[in-house]
Amino acid sequence: MKSLSLSSKTFKILEKVMHQYMQELGAPLATEQDINYAKTIYESLTDEEKRAAALQVGKQGASQLAERPITDFIVPFF
């Protein structure tokens, strides 16, 4: 069986296309059960892990993480 080798450029293109479709579709809606589950997980994180999570969601998401640790928007493509 021949193995498939993909370059980082290929992955970057796929990421960009996927992000464009996600923006068109919008973020999935979270139920109260989803939000409560996310809070449970967030509360179990160390301070370092919480800082890392804040960096991943950008300024828009970082301010809401403690109260609502689930995103209802598409994180910007970097």
Side-chain angles (χ1 to χ4, degrees):
M1 176 181 265
K2 187 176 181 181
S3 67
L4 179 64
S5 176
L6 299 173
S7 69
S8 61
K9 184 177 180 179
T10 302
F11 283 117
K12 201 63 161 172
I13 292 168
L14 288 171
E15 288 174 11
K16 193 171 190 175
V17 170
M18 288 172 57
H19 187 264
Q20 288 170 344
Y21 279 109
M22 289 171 62
Q23 285 182 311
E24 289 176 23
L25 294 171
L29 299 176
T31 65
E32 282 301 312
Q33 184 179 4
D34 295 330
I35 295 166
N36 290 334
Y37 184 62
K39 282 182 182 181
T40 301
I41 293 171
Y42 184 79
E43 290 167 359
S44 74
L45 300 177
T46 65
D47 289 341
E48 184 177 332
E49 291 168 328
K50 289 176 183 177
R51 283 191 294 276
L55 289 174
Q56 290 180 3
V57 296
K59 289 181 183 179
Q60 180 182 0
S63 63
Q64 75 177 22
L65 274 177
E67 189 58 37
R68 186 177 165 90
I70 194 165
T71 57
D72 56 1
F73 61 92
I74 304 300
V75 176
F77 182 76
F78 297 103

